[in-house]
Amino acid sequence: MLLHATGLEKTYATRATAFRRASRVAAVAGVDISLAEGGALGLVGESGCGKSTLARLLLRLIPLSAGRILFEGRDITALPEAALRPLRARMQLIHQNPSAALDPRLSVAEVVAEPLRIHGHDPRGRVASLLAEVGLPGDFLHRYPHELSGGQKQRVCIARALALAPRLLILDEPTSALDVSVQAQVLELLAGLRAQRGLAFLFISHNLAVVRQVCEQVAVMYLGRVVEQGPVDAVLGNPRHPYTQALLASVPRLGAAGVVVVGEAPNPAAPPPGCPFHPRCATAQEACRNGPPPALRNGVACHLAQ
Amino acid sequence: MDRRLTAYLLRRVALAGVMLFGLVCMTFVIANVAPNDPAALAAGPDAGRSQIEQARRDYGLDRPLPEQFWRYVSGLARGELGRSIATGRSVGQDLARYFPATLELCLLAMLIGLSVGVPLGVLSALMKDRWVDHLTRIFAVSGIALPPFWFGLLLQLTFATALGWLPTSGRLSVMTEPPDPITGLLLTDALLRGQWGVFGEGLSYILLPAIVLSFPCLASILRVNRAEMVEALRADYVMSAQAHGVNPWRIVCVHALRNAMLPTLAIIGLRWGWMMSSTVLVETVFDWPGIGLYAVSSAIAGDFKPVMGVTLIIGLNFMAANLIVDLLYGVLDPRLREG
């Protein structure tokens, strides 16, 4: 296993103000994630379900509250930053918004050269070949981020992430800030790079069609937990959790009227008792309302599906 | 240097030229709406009607305004600012004599503002919402809110009168021979001539007025820098740098601070201009022999040529500071070169 994480938790403490009490918000509430060398796992769920927090936890960019992370078989949970630094070269992150992910004061050449330089490599020559690999011409070297289109900026971010020859790429909605026509080109580029370099992807998205195209495995998150997990074809072709069914039904299709999810996602600071999805679930029973939250068993976390 | 950058710089310089003309017009208008009759002042307190009329003709004050304006502008072009009645010297000579003291005071105040304001802003942003942050923010608000003359008196009472650590006012003790001028800045001249005793004494005199003058500037640099640092530290490019294993010092100093310093730079330009004008108050409180004190004593005597001269100098200084900031912006921020 390239990446193996168990029992990941991240809770934030909110402070008391004149209008509300102090509380604890579980952004990620006990998640297990495994990703094989060269594999591609899609992570789907609505906004606020903890997908991006999970990505940051896995890369040790924010401190974890509980859990354990193994990267390349090595426990990195408590590794000090200095010891983690060489490993950072092999796990990289692509942000959703490429405009915010590039320092506006640095030229394309400086942006791509920085990771090489801090890991002690000579950036000369490498930068241009990295740009060529992501489909950007060499005369982009001396341009600044504001002179590039959204798609071009995302290509620069990809080139920067590839500079250190990573094994794992975590992509946090890499195409959702881009125009639809550009999305397809960037996805194609990513698929090509993955095939050539044998990269493993953790692909975060709320677009099920994109996940189906890019990934072999998929995990569906709801309120900080994984509620269903398995091969893409099985989960998206034959969803067993009512939330996955609702997600699929929300994708507009001709002549289809599936399960409709009602209401808003609950406040993570005060999650409902029992199964966290029960207030919005059409098939909820007594056990769902009062029992403990269902554990993920055989790829699904639902009292009724087991 | 690329072509767009050159074009940007030229545009800024051209704009400064337009502003300079505006400034000259303003000082002329101010002089002409002053309540005193300049001819009566020039003729002296005991002059009779005919002498005043004679003075009016001598100074060209009976000419139509456009002609007076032309004479004023062409005089300025030759460096003529008129004559001070109180000192008997030309205003140009007086300004050359008093300006270095003001410049020295402002430079030291700006140095204090930057060297305290920027690090405190960074610290405050790194410690956001913790007690260090709250303390520096209270400090910053008080810096903007305190009237400088009141704050100056407070410092004089504490450090000069009560504790006796520092002198109350002036630039140097009357017993001390100032160093022979090289730059006109007393501290620099003392250093260049190796007169350490004079340097130390000069420092003890300049410290309190410089602190008072720096306080509002320090406070606004701190506030802007903190806000910009908080913003920059939250940016995705900071997280990307962290994900690459860039060390925290480099993230703070290179990525975050470099971006946060751009808006801070704009504040520095504005504050430099305001600082020059608040020397009028600070120099009066501390009896500092600069252009602020010169303007105040001339205004009290009803001597308006020096006031015009000082106004012109302060205005020029404001423009120069903002022009330099604009030019630096063009060099530092690649986004501005488009225009």
Side-chain angles (χ1 to χ4, degrees):
Chain A
M1 274 298 153
L2 179 65
L3 180 72
H4 184 70
T6 46
L8 287 186
E9 279 181 31
K10 178 67 188 176
T11 48
Y12 290 102
T14 65
R15 280 215 231 155
T17 66
F19 304 105
R20 68 183 156 83
R21 291 183 187 187
S23 62
R24 301 186 73 75
V25 178
V28 174
V31 168
D32 302 338
I33 285 279
S34 284
L35 185 56
E37 189 87 41
L41 170 67
L43 197 58
V44 297
E46 60 201 318
S47 25
C49 72
K51 295 170 300 196
S52 297
T53 308
L54 181 60
R56 283 154 198 203
L57 283 180
L58 289 169
L59 293 175
R60 285 272 325 267
L61 292 172
I62 49 175
L64 340 130
S65 306
R68 192 154 169 259
I69 308 167
L70 300 178
F71 180 70
E72 297 176 337
R74 198 167 155 197
D75 191 340
I76 62 164
T77 319
L79 215 56
E81 188 59 40
L84 197 58
R85 198 159 295 146
L87 292 176
R88 290 215 179 277
R90 299 202 287 281
M91 45 177 170
Q92 282 300 313
L93 174 67
I94 301 286
H95 286 279
Q96 175 174 4
N97 181 357
S99 306
L102 297 172
D103 185 336
R105 300 269 304 268
L106 299 184
S107 69
V108 169
E110 290 166 316
V111 163
V112 180
E114 185 180 47
L116 289 167
R117 213 171 271 133
I118 56 172
H119 284 271
H121 303 289
D122 183 5
R124 267 174 299 173
R126 297 275 294 276
V127 175
S129 71
L130 281 163
L131 286 186
E133 200 176 341
V134 298
L136 292 177
D139 61 348
F140 270 55
L141 280 174
H142 302 293
R143 296 208 189 173
Y144 285 89
H146 72 277
E147 299 170 296
L148 308 180
S149 71
Q152 290 165 341
K153 279 186 244 191
Q154 195 59 293
R155 285 171 194 263
V156 172
C157 290
I158 295 169
R160 172 176 64 177
L162 293 180
L164 298 168
R167 309 300 310 142
L168 166 67
L169 213 51
I170 296 189
L171 302 118
D172 190 356
E173 311 223 20
T175 57
S176 58
L178 305 178
D179 290 342
V180 179
S181 58
V182 180
Q183 286 187 6
Q185 295 167 15
V186 171
L187 286 173
E188 204 173 310
L189 168 71
L190 286 170
L193 290 171
R194 185 177 157 223
Q196 270 167 26
R197 291 178 165 245
L199 289 167
F201 278 3
L202 178 66
F203 194 95
I204 299 173
S205 182
H206 54 242
N207 187 336
L208 296 175
V210 168
V211 169
R212 202 192 284 262
Q213 182 192 335
V214 175
C215 305
E216 290 96 50
Q217 299 280 316
V218 64
V220 182
M221 273 185 87
Y222 185 76
L223 218 64
R225 295 160 200 273
V226 173
V227 294
E228 187 163 1
Q229 193 170 13
V232 164
D233 293 335
V235 173
L236 301 185
N238 181 25
R240 290 184 293 159
H241 195 284
Y243 179 63
T244 317
Q245 291 164 1
L247 267 188
L248 278 163
S250 70
V251 178
R253 251 173 316 180
L254 281 178
V259 198
V260 176
V261 69
V262 288
E264 296 274 318
N267 176 6
C275 171
F277 187 61
H278 86 255
R280 300 167 83 190
C281 180
T283 55
Q285 312 261 310
E286 196 51 35
C288 308
R289 295 188 188 100
N290 299 322
L296 192 68
R297 225 172 288 147
N298 301 322
V300 61
C302 176
H303 288 305
L304 303 175
Q306 283 156 6
Chain B
M1 196 157 37
D2 68 274
R3 233 179 45 239
R4 275 179 312 182
L5 182 57
T6 320
Y8 170 84
L9 300 182
L10 285 178
R11 264 201 312 278
R12 290 285 129 188
V13 172
L15 198 62
V18 175
M19 279 165 63
L20 180 65
F21 181 73
L23 178 66
V24 169
C25 293
M26 288 277 285
T27 49
F28 181 75
V29 169
I30 289 169
N32 276 284
V33 298
N36 293 331
D37 180 4
L41 272 167
D46 303 322
R49 185 170 294 268
S50 62
Q51 284 161 302
I52 292 175
E53 287 315 311
Q54 181 60 40
R56 197 181 304 283
R57 273 191 299 279
D58 289 350
Y59 283 85
L61 294 169
D62 55 342
R63 304 277 168 182
L65 274 185
E67 193 187 326
Q68 285 194 46
F69 181 69
W70 172 247
R71 286 161 63 127
Y72 172 61
V73 173
S74 52
L76 279 183
R78 288 192 303 272
E80 287 164 19
L81 291 160
R83 190 161 286 275
S84 159
I85 297 165
T87 65
R89 285 184 296 262
S90 81
V91 172
Q93 280 174 319
D94 277 346
L95 288 178
R97 186 186 171 112
Y98 297 124
F99 184 70
T102 298
L103 183 65
E104 179 169 41
L105 190 59
C106 288
L107 282 175
L108 185 65
M110 185 51 83
L111 189 70
I112 296 173
L114 277 176
S115 56
V116 179
V118 171
L120 272 188
V122 172
L123 185 73
S124 200
L126 289 173
M127 301 274 182
K128 186 174 174 294
D129 292 333
R130 309 248 283 273
W131 63 268
V132 176
D133 183 31
H134 295 315
L135 275 185
T136 51
R137 284 160 75 189
I138 291 170
F139 177 67
V141 169
S142 59
I144 289 172
L146 288 182
F149 57 90
W150 182 81
F151 183 51
L153 289 173
L154 202 71
L155 288 190
Q156 274 179 333
L157 280 174
T158 315
F159 292 100
T161 313
L163 296 169
W165 292 350
L166 295 168
T168 324
S169 59
R171 198 181 184 192
L172 214 52
S173 151
V174 281
M175 312 299 285
T176 312
E177 183 73 19
D180 286 337
I182 302 172
T183 60
L185 309 179
L186 195 141
L187 291 180
T188 325
D189 288 347
L191 272 185
L192 290 175
R193 302 229 181 256
Q195 293 171 310
W196 296 101
V198 178
F199 178 78
E201 194 187 318
L203 202 60
S204 74
Y205 274 88
I206 201 174
L207 205 56
L208 288 185
I211 288 174
V212 172
L213 198 57
S214 78
F215 217 50
C217 163
L218 189 163
S220 47
I221 289 177
L222 196 166
R223 283 164 62 97
V224 170
N225 203 243
R226 175 192 177 273
E228 293 297 323
M229 277 300 286
V230 165
E231 191 73 17
L233 287 171
R234 232 189 262 146
D236 280 348
Y237 59 78
V238 162
M239 181 163 281
S240 293
Q242 197 191 344
H244 288 115
V246 179
N247 78 52
W249 268 106
R250 194 180 143 84
I251 292 181
V252 170
C253 297
V254 175
H255 291 287
L257 188 57
R258 262 178 58 155
N259 281 292
M261 275 313 280
L262 284 172
T264 311
L265 193 64
I267 278 292
I268 291 170
L270 284 177
R271 278 293 168 183
W272 176 259
W274 288 352
M275 199 183 252
M276 273 274 167
S277 47
S278 39
T279 56
V280 170
L281 290 172
V282 176
E283 288 182 0
T284 306
V285 171
F286 286 94
D287 199 20
W288 185 262
I291 57 166
L293 189 60
Y294 177 59
V296 170
S297 42
S298 305
I300 291 171
D303 192 1
F304 78 102
K305 290 281 186 195
V307 179
M308 272 170 77
V310 171
T311 311
L312 204 59
I313 288 285
I314 290 177
L316 269 179
N317 191 69
F318 216 117
M319 276 175 46
N322 282 293
L323 180 64
I324 291 171
V325 165
D326 276 350
L327 299 185
L328 277 177
Y329 249 85
V331 176
L332 295 178
D333 190 349
R335 284 166 296 188
L336 273 183
R337 287 174 211 161
E338 314 278 275

